[in-house]
Amino acid sequence: MSGSAVGVARATGKGWSASRLLRAIALATAAAAVIGLAGCGGGFELYGDSFSIGVSIDGQPDGGPIGSGAHRDVSIWAGESVAFDASEPVEWTLYAGDAAIPADGSTVYYGGASIRATAVGRSRIVVDTAAAGRLPEPVAITLVAVSTYDAALVATIDIYIY
């Protein structure tokens, strides 16, 4: 061989160098964090983890909280009031058939029942009901609550008035 074919050789130790060890620990820690976050559905979430709605009929709690993605039926007698309290501000929409009932205290008549929805703050709504007599069949209305922080957090409640 001629003298122009010179290569460079480096000596490597048999053990881990301090910088390689630190890089390996950092990589393992990052991998563990990624796996941990993937298991819980994501990382940091400012709102929404505790989204729920409480129900009370004439001031008495009714069942446990309704969480996001949940659907619940609530039955009341005409003349009773039902209140819904969300754990965070929500957009309330109450439907009677295909029509939305405004939550401004207006009264609508549907299926023989008088229904008045009143938003009391950003996270509470009260639905008052009445009927002139016994209803021939249950009147079904639907309440949909959508979080104002995260529109993916939705709860649906079917209210049956007897």
Side-chain angles (χ1 to χ4, degrees), residues 11 15 37-38 45 47-48 55 62 64 72 74 80 83 93 103 133 137 140 148 156-157:
L37 289 175
E45 188 170 314
Y47 303 104
V55 180
D62 183 65
R72 179 175 316 153
V74 174
E80 289 184 312
T93 306
E137 59 184 46
T148 58
T156 304
I157 304 140

Side-chain angles (χ1 to χ4, degrees), residues 5-13:
V6 177
V8 177
R10 285 192 228 185
T12 57

Side-chain angles (χ1 to χ4, degrees), residues 6-77:
V6 177
V8 177
R10 285 192 228 185
T12 57
K14 291 186 177 186
W16 288 79
S17 68
S19 64
R20 286 182 69 195
L21 182 61
L22 286 175
R23 274 185 262 163
I25 291 172
L27 181 61
T29 303
V34 167
I35 291 168
L37 289 175
C40 72
F44 181 78
E45 188 170 314
L46 186 59
Y47 303 104
D49 283 341
S50 62
F51 176 82
S52 65
I53 298 172
V55 180
S56 59
I57 298 173
D58 281 343
Q60 299 300 314
D62 183 65
I66 304 165
S68 174
H71 176 267
R72 179 175 316 153
D73 294 342
V74 174
S75 297
I76 60 173
W77 293 104

Side-chain angles (χ1 to χ4, degrees), residues 52-54 84-90 92 119-125:
S52 65
I53 298 172
F84 301 93
D85 292 295
S87 59
E88 60 189 59
V90 297
W92 301 103
V120 184
R122 296 177 52 196
S123 61
R124 180 177 167 85
I125 189 170

Side-chain angles (χ1 to χ4, degrees), residues 109-132:
Y109 298 93
Y110 178 71
S114 167
I115 304 162
R116 183 179 65 215
T118 307
V120 184
R122 296 177 52 196
S123 61
R124 180 177 167 85
I125 189 170
V126 177
V127 179
D128 298 306
T129 64

